[in-house]
Amino acid sequence: MDDPTHRWHDMGGAAAGPIPMDGHDFAIWEKRVDALVILGQQRGHFTVDGLRRALEDMGEAAFESMTYYERWVAALNQNLVEAGVYSLEEIGTKMEEIKARGDTYGAVQS
């Protein structure tokens, strides 16, 4: 968008193509992200405005390369770090622990 009065994420009125009207079955990890966002807000770690700020501050490249819920994960993480719930070092350590469990850890059973 070349309008200098709008930030890159303000796409109101821009041509976006057809809107898919078929249903979307959310993956279990997407449902978990949604639940974590709700819990984080209920516990007072951030507000919807804080989540939105983190989403908008990601930059255009994130919106072009990440899915909706991938952006939510990043925004959730940013807000929880800012709130002091955990540090970047702590989440890095936990992510390594989880990675060591193997690729199938936490796979959803049908």
Side-chain angles (χ1 to χ4, degrees):
M1 183 174 269
D2 294 329
D3 184 348
T5 63
H6 292 88
R7 290 185 65 191
W8 62 268
H9 59 79
D10 185 359
M11 298 180 215
I19 299 172
M21 300 305 283
D22 54 335
H24 172 74
D25 187 20
F26 294 98
I28 190 71
W29 75 269
E30 293 171 325
K31 294 176 183 179
R32 289 174 177 164
V33 170
D34 191 56
L36 287 170
V37 168
I38 291 168
L39 288 171
Q41 290 176 4
Q42 287 178 342
R43 298 228 172 143
H45 297 307
F46 55 87
T47 64
V48 69
D49 295 325
L51 189 69
R52 180 178 177 185
R53 177 202 41 85
L55 287 164
E56 291 174 357
D57 287 349
M58 285 180 195
E60 189 170 2
F63 274 69
E64 296 296 329
S65 64
M66 298 169 76
T67 69
Y68 180 81
Y69 279 101
E70 287 172 338
R71 292 190 306 267
W72 269 42
V73 168
L76 172 64
N77 184 57
Q78 180 67 34
N79 276 271
L80 293 175
V81 168
E82 289 174 2
V85 174
Y86 53 76
S87 69
L88 289 175
E89 294 77 20
E90 289 170 325
I91 193 152
T93 299
K94 182 55 77 175
M95 289 173 71
E96 288 301 317
E97 290 173 10
I98 292 169
K99 185 177 177 183
R101 296 174 185 167
D103 292 337
T104 60
Y105 177 80
V108 177
Q109 302 294 320
S110 302

